[in-house]
């Protein structure tokens, strides 16, 4: 039986579960701002007076503008980050290239130190990994090994390494290959509709939308959960439907 995108049909095998990283496993936004605050304090120390009006919001805007411009040229995330810092430093009258490198390193170290899994992550992963291989698919570059989740995942796929980024369905095909299964046998969990849900559906995988913020966005055919504490139960229900389907081939009822 062929799986319908998003909704798991009776008889469909679940062979692997993949997760988005930023916003799903940890609060990247908070960690990023914490790292930028460390850099901002150093810039203000080096350029007293000239950097007094500089804020974390200005730094975020500089990063976003640099990313928008450089992404079209195929630049790496690190190149985008460096360019964002260069613009911030120049606004404070700082043009030392070695200083820029040190600030980037300080940001990365501070951000990683501030990146912690959400409270619902480890309990859910422990239950799920007992039954299925689990992996990470991320457009970012945060490493679970450094962010409080060492040894938890069978594989980690970054857009920069594989050459595709969500919602490109090919990145989900890569994940299925690493998991040793077919795309429609993968359940993908993520917090962003435009990348996680739409990408998983386009790849033929089952999409689970982690809607922590109780957004009213339309997630189409995705299953919706508000916390990862709900995920083991959802997967269990889907697996029971799978068992029913295998025992009653041809009935073809679908979970609603």
């Amino acid at each position: 039986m062929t799986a319908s995108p998003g909704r798991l049909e009776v008889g469909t095998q679940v062979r692997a579960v993949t997760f988005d990283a930023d916003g799903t496993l940890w609060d990247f936004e908070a960690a990023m701002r914490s790292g930028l605050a460390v850099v901002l304090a150093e810039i203000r120390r080096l350029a007293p007076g000239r950097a007094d009006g500089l804020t974390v919001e200005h730094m975020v805007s500089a990063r976003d503008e640099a990313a928008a411009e450089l992404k079209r040229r195929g630049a790496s995330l690190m190149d985008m980050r460096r360019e964002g810092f260069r613009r911030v430093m120049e606004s404070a009258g700082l043009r030392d290239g070695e200083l820029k490198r040190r600030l980037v390193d300080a940001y990365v170290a501070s951000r990683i130190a501030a990146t912690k899994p959400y409270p619902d992550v480890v309990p859910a992963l422990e239950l799920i990994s007992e039954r299925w291989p689990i992996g990470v698919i991320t457009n970012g570059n945060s490493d679970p090994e450094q962010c409080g989740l060492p040894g938890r995942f069978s594989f980690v796929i970054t857009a920069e390494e594989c050459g595709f980024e969500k919602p490109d369905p090919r990145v989900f095909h890569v994940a299925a290959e690493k998991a040793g299964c077919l795309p429609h046998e993968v359940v993908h969990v993520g917090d962003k509709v435009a990348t996680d849900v739409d990408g998983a559906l386009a790849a033929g995988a089952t999409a689970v939308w982690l809607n922590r913020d109780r957004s009213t966005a339309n997630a189409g055919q995705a299953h919706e959960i508000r916390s990862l504490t709900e995920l083991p139960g959802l997967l269990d229900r889907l697996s029971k439907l799978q068992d029913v389907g295998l025992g009653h081939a041809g009935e073809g009822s679908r979970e609603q």
Side-chain angles (χ1 to χ4, degrees):
M1 183 178 295
T2 302
S4 175
R7 291 289 183 181
L8 188 67
E9 291 189 4
V10 174
T12 298
Q13 295 282 326
V14 178
R15 299 292 191 188
V17 182
T18 58
F19 295 83
D20 168 56
D22 298 338
T24 297
L25 300 177
W26 47 69
D27 188 343
F28 174 80
E29 187 76 13
M32 175 193 71
R33 290 175 179 275
S34 178
L36 290 177
V38 169
V39 173
L40 177 58
E42 180 64 6
I43 291 177
R44 285 176 173 168
R45 184 185 71 80
L46 294 169
R50 288 177 294 176
D52 287 349
L54 189 62
T55 66
V56 167
E57 290 301 328
H58 290 137
M59 299 176 78
V60 172
S61 295
R63 184 207 63 172
D64 291 346
E65 289 170 4
E69 293 175 17
L70 295 184
K71 188 173 184 178
R72 294 191 292 269
R73 307 177 204 167
S76 69
L77 286 174
M78 186 58 74
D79 288 339
M80 297 175 197
R81 184 177 297 136
R82 290 193 185 102
E83 175 60 16
F85 277 119
R86 184 193 67 77
R87 296 181 185 190
V88 168
M89 288 171 58
E90 284 201 348
S91 71
L94 301 171
R95 293 179 172 79
D96 185 337
E98 176 60 20
L99 174 60
K100 178 184 71 175
R101 185 190 66 76
R102 294 203 309 270
L103 291 179
V104 170
D105 290 346
Y107 163 75
V108 172
S110 300
R111 192 203 75 198
I112 290 174
T115 304
K116 308 296 181 186
Y118 288 112
D120 59 356
V121 171
V122 171
L125 295 184
E126 287 180 343
L127 290 173
I128 295 165
S129 62
E130 291 177 356
R131 299 181 62 184
W132 299 282
I134 58 176
V136 170
I137 306 174
T138 177
N139 287 352
N141 60 0
S142 297
D143 184 354
E145 295 293 315
Q146 298 179 308
C147 298
L149 297 172
R152 293 285 179 182
F153 298 98
S154 301
F155 56 89
V156 176
I157 299 170
T158 67
E160 201 155 274
E161 290 177 354
C162 80
F164 313 116
E165 67 175 31
K166 298 176 292 183
D168 191 321
R170 288 174 291 183
V171 72
F172 296 92
H173 296 165
V174 172
E177 184 177 350
K178 286 186 176 291
C181 65
L182 297 173
H184 72 266
E185 296 171 326
V186 174
V187 175
H188 179 70
V189 184
D191 68 307
K192 295 180 177 61
V193 173
T195 52
D196 295 302
V197 170
D198 292 350
L201 296 181
T206 296
V208 176
W209 180 31
L210 177 58
N211 185 11
R212 293 186 184 277
D213 299 327
R214 288 170 165 72
S215 167
T216 57
N218 181 6
Q221 290 297 303
H223 298 274
E224 180 181 347
I225 58 177
R226 300 293 176 84
S227 166
L228 288 179
T229 58
E230 301 173 49
L231 184 59
L234 171 62
L235 292 172
D236 186 57
R237 292 193 299 276
L238 298 179
S239 296
K240 287 178 180 177
L241 285 176
Q242 163 194 312
D243 294 339
V244 170
L246 291 175
H248 300 83
E251 290 183 7
S253 61
R254 183 185 302 178
E255 185 204 21
Q256 299 294 334

